[in-house]
């Protein structure tokens, strides 16, 4: 016979037709929930026989009702890269529904660990998000030491006991390379993100693997920093080669859009003489000239799912990794057949 477990906040939320955060907010007796919604949650909890665990009772008295995000990035880059505002907007949407707050710290690399220690030591947050995973990720062990619940964006390469939003960039990069190969390109280069970041390394590896599958080698790979300035510098380096590429796969839209500007500066026509692809499908990518072929992702959705998972983890509910739709190629006007095939 199957054993029926204790009803969870997830069960109550499903029965009441509200978010888990709203259930947590209601059952902790906090203001900000409409009376009709509060009553519906309480009736669902009673009907299911929900009762708080001893652990949850102990935790509720010391809750901060806030979660943290520490970003070791230059503030100027955060303002220019649309990924971060979209992700944070998704997080805030879920947290707002649950009456929770986000504590954001933007710090230099050398102060990242101290940032987490401050959040944990001051009791300012109940858990954190881990973005910008490293190839060798040291923060998992740090958060275990600090006893700070966490959700990672993507699955780390090494051991991790944190639930993850299962972002996978590889299918999108592979689709971009296949698209260019089908258009007859053979000299294909890559402007990569920093190799120390897991997503920078993953996108580069996906690029190289896709070329190998097509029986090709990379014309060149130039590492940049996901910024427009870095993308422009890398594009100049590629176009100054004795045999420059006929197509460039960029690790994000910002670098690709900067590359379009450099091609114009060099008098190179896009896409008839040079094709570009980006990554992230930012709003601007559809409005540049020519519109950018790119890979669609949904950082707003990632933020919502990450926040929902973290709140469940903090509440003591069982949580699993969360799947998201795979990255998909969006073909626009910045790619065309290789020059020799016109």
């Amino acid at each position: 016979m199957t054993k029926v477990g204790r009803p969870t906040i997830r069960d109550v939320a499903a029965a009441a037709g509200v978010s888990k955060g709203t259930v947590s907010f209601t059952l902790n007796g906090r203001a900000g929930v409409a009376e009709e919604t509060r009553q519906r949650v309480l009736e669902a909890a009673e009907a299911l026989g929900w009762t708080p665990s001893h652990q949850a009772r102990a935790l509720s008295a010391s809750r901060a009702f806030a979660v943290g995000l520490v970003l070791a990035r230059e503030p100027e880059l955060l303002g220019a890269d649309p990924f971060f505002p979209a992700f944070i907007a998704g997080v805030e949407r879920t947290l707002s529904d649950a009456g929770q707050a986000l504590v954001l710290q933007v710090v230099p690399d050398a102060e990242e660990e101290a940032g987490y220690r401050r959040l944990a030591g001051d009791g300012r947050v109940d858990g954190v998000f881990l973005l910008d995973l490293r190839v060798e990720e040291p923060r998992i062990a740090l958060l275990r030491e600090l006893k700070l619940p966490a959700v990672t964006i993507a699955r780390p390469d090494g051991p991790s006991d944190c639930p993850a939003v299962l972002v996978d960039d590889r299918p999108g990069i592979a689709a971009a390379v296949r698209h260019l190969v089908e258009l007859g390109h053979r000299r294909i280069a890559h402007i990569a993100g920093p190799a120390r970041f897991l997503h920078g390394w993953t996108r580069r590896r996906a690029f190289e693997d896709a070329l190998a599958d097509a029986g090709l080698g990379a014309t060149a790979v130039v590492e940049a920093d996901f910024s427009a300035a870095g993308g422009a510098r890398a594009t100049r380096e590629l176009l100054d080669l004795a045999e420059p590429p006929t197509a460039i796969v960029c690790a994000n839209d910002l670098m690709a859009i900067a590359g379009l500007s450099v091609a114009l500066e060099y008098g190179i026509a896009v896409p008839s003489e040079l094709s570009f692809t980006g990554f992230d499908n930012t709003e601007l990518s559809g409005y540049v000239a020519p519109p950018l072929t790119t890979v669609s992702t949904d950082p707003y959705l990632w933020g919502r799912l990450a926040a929902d998972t973290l709140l469940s983890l903090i509440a003591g509910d069982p949580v699993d990794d969360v799947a998201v739709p795979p990255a998909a190629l969006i073909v626009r006007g910045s790619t065309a057949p290789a020059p020799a095939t016109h």
Side-chain angles (χ1 to χ4, degrees), residues 4-16 19-20 23-24 27 41 44-45 48-53 312 315-319:
V4 179
R6 175 198 296 270
T8 67
I9 285 180
R10 188 189 299 270
D11 300 324
V12 176
S19 71
K20 288 176 287 186
V23 172
S24 178
L27 297 176
V41 169
L48 291 170
W50 179 89
T51 57
S53 67
S312 294
D317 285 346
V319 295

Side-chain angles (χ1 to χ4, degrees), residues 170-179 181 188 202-218 249:
R170 292 171 297 179
I173 292 289
V177 172
R178 285 196 303 270
H179 170 62
V181 170
I188 305 173
T202 298
R203 293 174 197 181
R204 174 173 180 163
R205 181 66 181 271
F207 169 79
E208 293 170 340
D209 288 348
L211 281 180
D213 289 343
L216 301 172
V249 175

Side-chain angles (χ1 to χ4, degrees), residues 10-321:
R10 188 189 299 270
D11 300 324
V12 176
V18 298
S19 71
K20 288 176 287 186
T22 299
V23 172
S24 178
F25 215 46
T26 299
L27 297 176
N28 280 295
R30 293 176 63 85
V33 180
E35 184 55 37
E36 185 273 334
T37 302
R38 182 185 300 277
Q39 191 59 38
R40 194 161 75 248
V41 169
L42 294 174
E43 289 173 358
E46 182 178 1
L48 291 170
W50 179 89
T51 57
S53 67
H54 294 301
Q55 181 185 25
R57 286 182 187 274
L59 286 173
S60 65
S62 59
R63 288 279 299 277
F65 293 96
V67 295
L69 175 60
V70 179
L71 293 174
R73 291 285 193 108
E74 293 296 328
E76 295 79 9
L77 178 59
L78 293 181
D81 190 339
F83 170 84
F84 295 102
F87 177 82
I88 291 171
V91 168
E92 289 280 22
R93 176 71 272 173
T94 295
L95 295 182
S96 176
D97 291 343
Q100 306 266 345
L102 176 66
V103 178
L104 174 64
Q105 291 193 7
V106 180
V107 299
D109 277 345
E111 296 180 21
E112 186 177 27
E113 179 178 334
Y116 287 106
R117 291 191 180 278
R118 281 194 300 271
L119 290 179
D122 296 343
R124 296 172 62 191
V125 299
D126 300 314
V128 295
F129 304 103
L130 282 191
L131 281 175
D132 283 346
L133 293 184
R134 310 317 196 261
V135 172
E136 296 182 1
E137 180 54 70
R139 293 173 296 173
I140 301 295
L142 171 65
L143 296 177
R144 189 181 299 119
E145 173 197 333
L146 298 175
K147 296 181 171 58
L148 202 55
V151 171
T152 64
I153 310 306
R155 167 59 58 190
D157 268 354
S160 172
D161 48 9
C162 301
V165 176
L166 296 176
V167 173
D168 186 359
D169 297 335
R170 292 171 297 179
I173 292 289
V177 172
R178 285 196 303 270
H179 170 62
L180 293 169
V181 170
E182 288 166 2
L183 289 172
H185 291 275
R186 296 297 178 266
R187 296 201 309 276
I188 305 173
H190 181 46
I191 299 179
R196 68 192 181 96
F197 288 140
L198 184 62
H199 57 299
W201 180 87
T202 298
R203 293 174 197 181
R204 174 173 180 163
R205 181 66 181 271
F207 169 79
E208 293 170 340
D209 288 348
L211 281 180
D213 289 343
L216 301 172
T219 295
V221 175
V222 179
E223 183 177 322
D225 60 358
F226 288 126
S227 72
R233 175 189 57 77
T235 301
R236 290 190 181 94
E237 184 174 334
L238 291 170
L239 296 184
D240 286 339
L241 292 173
E243 285 193 288
T246 62
I248 301 176
V249 175
C250 297
N252 75 349
D253 285 352
L254 198 58
M255 296 194 294
I257 291 169
L260 293 177
S261 178
V262 171
L264 180 64
E265 172 190 320
Y266 274 58
I268 296 172
V270 176
S272 60
E273 295 178 292
L274 177 65
S275 290
F276 272 96
T277 69
F279 196 102
D280 284 332
N281 191 31
T282 56
E283 184 177 8
L284 183 61
S285 67
Y287 295 94
V288 294
L292 184 65
T293 294
T294 186
V295 174
S296 178
T297 61
D298 193 349
Y300 177 84
L301 174 64
W302 300 352
R304 293 216 63 169
L305 294 173
D308 194 48
T309 303
L310 184 55
L311 292 180
S312 294
L313 183 65
I314 292 166
D317 285 346
V319 295
D320 297 311
D321 291 344

